[in-house]
Amino acid sequence: MMVRARVGELVESNRFQMFIVGVIVINAITLGAETSTVLEAKFGPLLTTIDHLALAIFTAELAARLYAFGWKFFKDPWNVFDFVIVGIALIPAAGPLSVLRSLRILRALRLVAMVPSMRRVVTALVRSIPGLVSLSGLLVLLVYIGGVIASNLFGDTGDPRFTGLGPTLLTLFQITTGDGWSDVMRDLMVQKPFAWIFFLIYLMVGTFTMLNLFIAVVCSAMQEEVTVPAPRSANHDDLLLMEVRALREEVRAMRQNA
């Protein structure tokens, strides 16, 4: 029990965490360098060695965490995230599974689990998902209504972008992203001089208003994440419990020896 507590203290220490972050950054740079034919031809064996060494360190780290915390390791979602990322990297990338070789870069995502500020951002994004889903449904409804109106208004112009509901919805989605909407409007104004009214109303509601609502939902979730103190992780609680048990065993051993 004492050994497991010491191992838990080691893997949870700030120095060890910074070491793992450094390995993640170096490994990410290495994987990027392997995409360069010049660097691969010149430093190929070195890059491969660094990659294998980084994977060995990640595997040893996870093994140490599993030994220290046991099955309680999986209570922390970030531990599960790390376990999946490293597990994917351990799958042999040969033959039909060679496509998995490109997934090695997913190890860089471990920075999200290791850096507290990144964890808070991701947690805030996850909390904002219900609101974003509702806004997405409202945006889809808005695009559909606009598509029906635009098909009726501009379908007789002969413009292939408004010949049916499908092409019209695709065009409105393009306009919602702000891509080339002025060109579409000016083309239609040749036959429909008042087409600008529809486009300005659609842009004001569909683009500016909806975009600001999306940003507001995410910012609200981030503000809650900053103001509300985050609960202690399961690893932290388990580590304290192991330390208490180890101290009890030491006290019992001292009493027996006395």
Side-chain angles (χ1 to χ4, degrees):
M1 183 64 67
M2 192 63 180
V3 176
R4 295 182 66 180
R6 293 289 174 81
V7 173
E9 289 179 357
L10 173 64
V11 296
E12 290 294 318
S13 64
N14 290 332
R15 289 185 178 181
F16 187 81
Q17 296 288 326
M18 293 302 298
F19 170 72
I20 295 298
V21 169
V23 175
I24 294 172
V25 173
I26 293 174
N27 189 217
I29 296 174
T30 302
L31 294 175
E34 287 183 351
T35 62
S36 172
T37 54
V38 176
L39 294 177
E40 178 66 23
K42 193 172 182 180
F43 305 104
L46 176 61
L47 296 176
T48 301
T49 301
I50 294 175
D51 180 51
H52 291 168
L53 180 61
L55 181 58
I57 293 174
F58 295 150
T59 304
E61 177 213 359
L62 281 184
R65 288 181 179 276
L66 281 170
Y67 171 76
F69 304 111
W71 290 108
K72 295 180 181 179
F73 169 89
F74 296 99
K75 288 183 178 181
D76 190 339
W78 291 111
N79 286 341
V80 177
F81 177 81
D82 288 344
F83 184 84
V84 172
I85 293 298
V86 177
I88 292 175
L90 290 174
I91 299 176
L97 297 178
S98 59
V99 66
L100 295 177
R101 182 176 175 81
S102 61
L103 298 180
R104 294 179 302 162
I105 192 58
L106 291 178
R107 298 179 211 165
L109 290 177
R110 293 200 65 206
L111 280 175
V112 177
M114 303 300 296
V115 181
S117 58
M118 290 187 180
R119 286 204 303 265
R120 286 195 293 269
V121 172
V122 173
T123 302
L125 290 176
V126 172
R127 288 183 177 180
S128 64
I129 287 178
L132 294 179
V133 170
S134 300
L135 285 177
S136 298
L138 182 59
L139 180 60
V140 170
L141 181 61
L142 176 65
V143 173
Y144 179 77
I145 293 174
V148 174
I149 295 175
S151 296
N152 292 325
L153 290 176
F154 311 124
D156 58 350
T157 60
D159 192 319
R161 293 169 292 192
F162 296 93
T163 53
L165 184 60
T168 302
L169 292 176
L170 182 60
T171 303
L172 290 184
F173 180 78
Q174 170 192 338
I175 293 172
T176 304
T177 63
D179 179 24
W181 69 271
S182 59
D183 296 332
V184 178
M185 180 185 68
R186 289 190 176 93
D187 291 343
L188 291 174
M189 287 178 64
V190 175
Q191 300 184 48
K192 303 282 186 176
F194 296 102
W196 62 270
I197 298 176
F198 169 82
F199 283 92
L200 290 184
I201 295 176
Y202 182 80
L203 283 173
M204 289 296 294
V205 177
T207 301
F208 302 135
T209 303
M210 295 301 298
L211 177 61
N212 288 330
L213 287 175
F214 274 95
I215 296 175
V217 170
V218 175
C219 288
S220 177
M222 289 188 176
Q223 183 65 28
E224 292 179 0
E225 183 66 21
V226 171
T227 55
V228 178
R232 293 181 302 180
S233 64
N235 288 350
H236 185 271
D237 294 336
D238 293 340
L239 183 58
L240 291 177
L241 183 59
M242 285 190 294
E243 290 179 350
V244 172
R245 289 176 178 174
L247 289 174
R248 287 180 177 176
E249 291 181 1
E250 286 186 355
V251 172
R252 289 176 182 175
M254 292 174 61
R255 288 178 177 177
Q256 292 176 357
N257 294 332

